[in-house]
């Protein structure tokens, strides 16, 4: 990239907490966020899920509402919109109001948005138009005062990485100086029943790359990253390359060879101007389905990264869908700032055909360049490279 | 760096018109519903691709739009499959299929969620279907906007082509919700490529004005 694209702010909301330090502190202590739920309005069979505490979320949202928009009413915001607002509010605290000029943009990444509005119990929500992703994004954008209309990216499980890639490219091209990327998805009966119909869900918390892995675990959450050509944090981390590819093979199954994800990794490294050997850590997609993890291991081998330390953060808070790429990028950036690689929760014994270097214990080590990868339905793959200055 | 880009082909599918490369073909058949319309168009185009029948309405429409757009062009031969990007936008994402899927789970005494329906509750599956059909392996992006937004389409496509993340792009707008639908697709190529292939012209600059002009044709 020609222009620097710095990380200027961030926030993670998951079952583990409402700020990045809170969530990362729990990860560092080895705490995982799943609880077994047997709530029939959510899931027909008991499942481990990583859910955000609604009472705490509402409390935080009310404080922000009183502070920013005392004239507005809480009942005009959906649960996901509240989560986005709480996340963005925390992420922009050091950079606003510089973010709301004509040189700034908000990108929203979500797969299903306010899909819970289709439920019988939500029929009385004041404005059914919030079912449209662009409407949800407009509500969030105007809450903070972004002048430009938000861009919405909905590209299955690569949405978050694709949104970050798009944001970095926009800054690089000089279209904007600051881009706020917020990714979020909720768990609802809609999403859970769908993954159950695929028989893709594990009855126990997911075990990415493990021999005993038995499917993915779902989580909900929101992540916000502020990218900027001007502002940066004390440990300066920047986006140095990104790429997206398609398998052109199957709409719901990953590539058998992993070549296409490997191609995305290769293209991203090329743009970053580094060799695979210069990557300190890979934050894998690692959903813990048999096919995803196997494909990913092959891709990492093709890309020359089979010996590089790798983890999947999904062992801590599950697959957060449209939020995953953003949340897991933030956790990766924390690893870079703290020179600390995190254990891959749920992993004991390698269960993919390429013996990847899956992280077993937290490691204090210099962390310089990192790779975040993602793959999703529709055959899409994405890779993004972060560099510490 | 900042290459001049051109629209080399376009295709529009609406209820009563198909517009190929800005030439309007009126459809005199009485519109009954989307299902019969799209099937008739598929047959008329003489395409043989059994997977078509398994697709949801959004994928059927966009797939057919892409077929008609690419037909009789050498576009796919001109580029490596890794060099072709796809950027598609719409307003209601996959809501058309979301509503259909929701019908399968809302009644607990008649509960039959199916993976073959659920997979289409993501709008980018349409991009996946086009990629599978033509073995296109380049960059993808699915954007959601309240209406066809030429400025945003251009912005996204330029991000791919200006920095060589792709050499050519299939892009546009594919919207389906119930009986309301519209497919507006374009092939966008770089100046350096097209001079060789279109010595007689027949292309428009890739600008908001050209996109609007093509889009507004009835």
């Amino acid at each position: 990239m020609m222009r620097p694209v710095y990380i200027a702010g961030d926030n993670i909301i998951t079952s583990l907490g409402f700020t990045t330090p809170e969530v990362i502190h729990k990860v560092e202590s080895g705490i995982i966020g799943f609880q077994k739920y047997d709530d029939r309005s959510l899931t027909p069979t008991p499942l481990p899920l990583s859910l955000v505490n609604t009472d705490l979320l509402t409390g935080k949202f009310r404080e922000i509402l009183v502070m920013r928009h005392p004239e507005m009413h809480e009942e005009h915001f959906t649960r996901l919109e509240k989560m986005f607002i709480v996340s963005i509010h925390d992420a922009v605290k050091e950079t606003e109001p510089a973010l709301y000029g004509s040189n700034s943009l908000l990108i929203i990444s979500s797969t299903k948005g306010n899909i819970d509005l289709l439920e019988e119990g939500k029929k009385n929500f004041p404005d059914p138009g919030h079912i449209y992703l662009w409407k949800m994004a407009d509500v969030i954008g105007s809450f903070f005062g972004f002048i430009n209309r938000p861009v919405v990216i909905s590209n299955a499980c690569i949405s978050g990485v694709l949104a970050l890639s798009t944001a970095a490219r926009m800054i690089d091209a000089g279209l904007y100086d600051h881009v706020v990327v917020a990714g979020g998805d909720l768990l609802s009966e809609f999403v859970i029943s769908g993954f159950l119909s695929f028989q893709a869900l594990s009855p126990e918390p997911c075990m990415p790359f493990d021999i005993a892995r038995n499917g993915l675990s779902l989580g909900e959450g929101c992540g916000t990253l502020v990218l900027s050509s001007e502002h940066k944090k004390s440990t300066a981390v920047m986006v140095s390359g990104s790429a997206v590819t398609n398998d052109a093979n199957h709409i719901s199954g990953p590539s058998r060879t992993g070549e296409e994800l490997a191609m995305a990794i290769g293209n991203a490294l090329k743009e970053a101007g580094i060799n695979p050997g210069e990557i300190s850590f890979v934050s894998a997609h690692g959903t813990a389905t048999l096919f995803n993890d196997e494909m990913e291991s092959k891709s990492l081998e093709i890309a020359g990264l089979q010996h590089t330390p790798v983890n999947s953060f999904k062992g801590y808070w599950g697959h957060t869908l449209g939020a995953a790429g953003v949340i897991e990028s933030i956790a990766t950036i924390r690893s870079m700032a703290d020179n600390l690689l995190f254990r891959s929760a749920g992993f004991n014994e390698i269960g993919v055909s390429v013996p990847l270097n899956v992280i077993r214990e937290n490691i204090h080590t210099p962390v310089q360049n990192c790779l975040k990868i993602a793959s999703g339905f529709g055959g899409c793959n994405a890779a993004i490279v972060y560099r510490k200055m | 760096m900042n290459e001049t880009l051109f629209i080399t082909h376009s295709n529009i599918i609406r209820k009563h018109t198909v517009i190929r490369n800005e030439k309007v073909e009126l459809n005199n058949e009485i519109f009954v519903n989307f299902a019969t319309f799209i099937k008739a168009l598929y047959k008329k185009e003489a395409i043989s691709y059994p997977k078509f029948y398994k697709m949801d309405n959004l994928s059927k429409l966009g797939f057919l739009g892409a077929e008609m757009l690419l037909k009789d062009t050498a576009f796919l031969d001109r580029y490596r499959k890794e060099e072709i990007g796809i950027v598609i936008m719409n307003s209601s994402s996959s809501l058309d299929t979301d509503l259909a899927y929701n019908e399968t789970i809302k009644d607990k005494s008649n509960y039959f969620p199916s993976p073959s329906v659920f997979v289409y509750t993501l709008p980018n599956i349409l991009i996946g279907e086009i990629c599978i059909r033509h073995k296109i392996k380049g960059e993808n992006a699915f954007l959601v906007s309240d209406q066809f937004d030429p400025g945003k389409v251009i912005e996204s496509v330029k991000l791919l082509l200006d920095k060589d993340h792709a050499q050519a792009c299939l892009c546009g707008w594919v919207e389906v919700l119930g009986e309301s639908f519209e497919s507006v697709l374009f092939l966008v190529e770089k100046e350096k490529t097209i001079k060789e292939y279109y010595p007689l012209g027949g292309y428009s600059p890739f600008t908001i004005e050209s996109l609007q002009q093509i889009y507004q044709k009835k």
Side-chain angles (χ1 to χ4, degrees):
Chain A
M1 300 226 170
M2 304 299 286
R3 251 182 126 206
V5 181
Y6 297 112
I7 307 300
D10 61 68
N11 166 273
I12 301 177
I13 297 176
T14 67
S15 60
L16 293 181
F18 286 83
T19 64
T20 306
E22 196 182 345
V23 170
I24 295 300
H25 180 72
K26 291 201 177 141
V27 168
E28 197 175 341
S29 315
I31 296 169
I32 67 165
F34 298 105
Q35 277 185 51
K36 205 115 184 183
Y37 287 88
D38 192 10
D39 173 355
R40 287 301 149 96
S41 69
L42 205 55
T43 170
T45 51
L47 277 176
L49 300 169
S50 168
L51 300 183
V52 172
N53 183 304
T54 300
D55 291 341
L56 287 175
L57 173 69
T58 307
K60 286 178 191 294
F61 177 76
R62 280 181 189 152
E63 284 173 27
I64 296 167
L65 193 66
V66 167
M67 200 188 310
R68 289 184 184 259
H69 288 290
E71 79 287 4
M72 289 185 178
H73 301 286
E74 186 200 327
E75 54 273 21
H76 291 168
F77 296 86
T78 65
R79 182 160 175 267
L80 182 59
E81 286 158 8
K82 289 175 187 169
M83 212 187 289
F84 268 113
I85 287 169
V86 172
S87 177
I88 295 169
H89 173 83
D90 181 47
V92 301
K93 61 182 187 283
E94 284 159 22
T95 39
E96 67 175 349
L99 296 176
Y100 308 134
S102 57
N103 60 341
S104 298
L105 181 72
L106 171 66
I107 300 183
I108 296 287
S109 152
S110 185
T111 65
K112 296 312 312 162
N114 292 318
I115 196 69
D116 55 322
L117 291 182
L118 295 183
E119 294 167 9
E120 283 301 317
K122 303 275 171 73
K123 286 274 147 68
N124 54 359
F125 186 77
D127 180 359
H130 288 229
I131 194 79
Y132 291 96
L133 287 168
W134 54 262
K135 174 70 180 175
M136 177 183 82
D138 282 351
V139 166
I140 299 161
S142 61
F143 186 90
F144 289 95
F146 286 91
I147 293 177
N148 291 304
R149 247 185 126 174
V151 165
V152 178
I153 292 183
S154 187
N155 215 98
C157 301
I158 73 162
S159 299
V161 178
L162 176 57
L164 289 165
S165 164
T166 304
R169 288 171 181 182
M170 284 171 162
I171 293 174
D172 185 38
L175 298 174
Y176 303 98
D177 295 323
H178 319 286
V179 182
V180 178
V181 178
D185 264 308
L186 288 185
L187 288 188
S188 60
E189 189 193 6
F190 186 102
V191 169
I192 294 169
S193 64
F195 277 95
L196 272 173
S197 78
F198 263 102
Q199 302 188 317
L201 298 184
S202 171
E204 299 301 325
C206 66
M207 304 172 75
F209 300 108
D210 192 87
I211 184 93
R213 74 185 182 281
N214 192 16
L216 57 83
S217 297
L218 289 168
E220 61 183 8
C222 194
T224 303
L225 255 178
V226 182
L227 301 184
S228 170
S229 62
E230 295 163 16
H231 302 282
K232 56 189 165 203
K233 297 192 140 192
S234 53
T235 308
V237 172
M238 55 190 275
V239 179
S240 54
S242 65
V244 174
T245 60
N246 195 288
D247 293 340
N249 176 50
H250 196 280
I251 52 169
S252 59
S255 158
R256 267 176 234 134
T257 61
E259 278 166 32
E260 296 78 14
L261 172 58
M263 192 161 78
I265 296 171
N267 291 346
L269 292 179
K270 190 176 159 200
E271 190 182 18
I274 58 172
N275 301 314
E278 293 172 80
I279 292 286
S280 314
F281 163 67
V282 179
S283 167
H285 191 48
T287 60
T289 65
L290 288 176
F291 292 117
N292 174 81
D293 293 7
E294 179 62 21
M295 181 279 289
E296 240 181 329
S297 76
K298 289 176 179 167
S299 299
L300 289 169
E301 182 181 40
I302 297 168
L305 291 160
Q306 69 272 35
H307 302 301
T308 309
V310 57
N311 80 6
S312 165
F313 284 110
K314 292 183 178 70
Y316 292 97
W317 51 67
H319 191 348
T320 54
L321 310 172
V326 183
I327 293 179
E328 293 163 18
S329 283
I330 297 167
T332 300
I333 290 159
R334 282 301 296 236
S335 278
M336 300 173 81
D338 300 345
N339 289 312
L340 173 61
L341 298 181
F342 298 110
R343 177 178 82 91
S344 196
F347 177 79
N348 296 304
E349 188 186 345
I350 193 80
V352 286
S353 59
V354 178
L356 298 177
N357 181 5
V358 184
I359 303 169
R360 290 168 183 278
E361 297 296 335
N362 295 349
I363 319 166
H364 287 274
T365 181
V367 184
Q368 200 59 40
N369 297 290
C370 292
L371 172 71
K372 169 72 211 137
I373 51 180
S375 297
F377 279 168
C380 48
N381 307 292
I384 190 162
V385 182
Y386 298 100
R387 173 190 300 159
K388 188 163 71 183
M389 300 309 287
Chain B
M1 298 300 285
N2 238 330
E3 289 223 45
T4 314
L5 304 176
F6 291 90
I7 303 161
T8 57
H9 298 276
S10 64
N11 180 275
I12 299 180
I13 303 173
R14 295 197 180 103
K15 241 174 227 184
H16 300 292
T17 49
V18 164
I19 308 176
R20 289 180 219 250
N21 298 319
E22 303 184 56
K23 287 184 200 69
V24 180
E25 298 170 15
L26 284 175
N27 177 3
N28 294 322
E29 301 208 2
I30 297 160
F31 181 84
V32 181
N33 58 33
F34 179 83
T36 43
F37 170 87
I38 204 76
K39 204 167 154 186
L41 189 59
Y42 174 82
K43 295 225 156 123
K44 192 174 160 211
E45 290 298 308
I47 298 160
S48 174
Y49 192 67
K51 276 184 198 161
F52 176 81
Y53 292 101
K54 294 183 185 169
M55 295 178 194
D56 77 336
N57 291 345
L58 180 69
S59 284
K60 275 185 177 143
L61 179 64
F63 170 86
L64 215 43
E67 287 299 298
M68 294 166 76
L69 177 71
L70 292 163
K71 193 177 179 182
D72 302 325
T73 76
F75 182 84
L76 293 169
D77 304 323
R78 203 171 299 153
Y79 302 98
R80 289 191 297 117
K81 300 299 167 71
E82 298 79 21
E83 294 177 338
I84 301 171
I86 301 185
V87 175
I88 295 179
M89 173 184 277
N90 80 3
S91 167
S92 57
S93 180
S94 55
L95 185 56
D96 189 62
T97 297
D98 295 349
L99 293 168
Y101 177 78
N102 197 51
E103 287 300 310
T104 72
I105 60 165
K106 73 177 194 192
D107 181 356
K108 294 294 166 280
S109 61
N110 187 23
Y111 185 83
F112 55 100
S114 141
S116 58
V117 180
F118 183 67
V119 70
Y120 286 101
T121 64
L122 294 165
N124 65 298
I125 298 300
L126 162 58
I127 296 178
E129 294 284 14
I130 297 172
C131 285
I132 291 168
R133 166 67 161 168
H134 302 290
K135 295 287 159 222
I136 293 172
K137 294 191 171 183
E139 294 261 347
N140 298 184
F142 201 103
L143 308 174
V144 180
S145 171
D146 66 334
Q147 53 187 336
F148 173 58
D149 184 338
K152 282 279 171 267
V153 171
I154 291 172
E155 191 174 274
S156 298
V157 171
K158 281 180 76 67
L159 287 178
L160 301 185
L161 298 187
D162 283 352
K163 289 287 176 80
D164 288 332
H165 297 293
Q167 296 303 320
C169 211
L170 186 161
C171 64
W173 168 263
V174 184
E175 165 67 17
V176 179
L177 186 56
E179 297 301 326
S180 152
F181 63 91
E182 184 176 59
S183 167
V184 183
L185 292 173
F186 307 91
L187 294 180
V188 177
E189 301 179 69
K190 296 181 175 182
E191 183 172 27
K192 67 179 182 206
T193 324
I194 67 164
K195 288 279 161 67
E196 183 185 335
Y197 292 98
Y198 308 97
L200 303 176
Y203 43 81
S204 320
F206 186 48
T207 60
I208 292 178
E209 295 70 35
S210 318
L211 289 175
Q212 282 293 14
Q213 196 199 326
I214 295 170
Y215 180 74
Q216 280 160 5
K217 200 145 197 166
K218 300 284 177 201

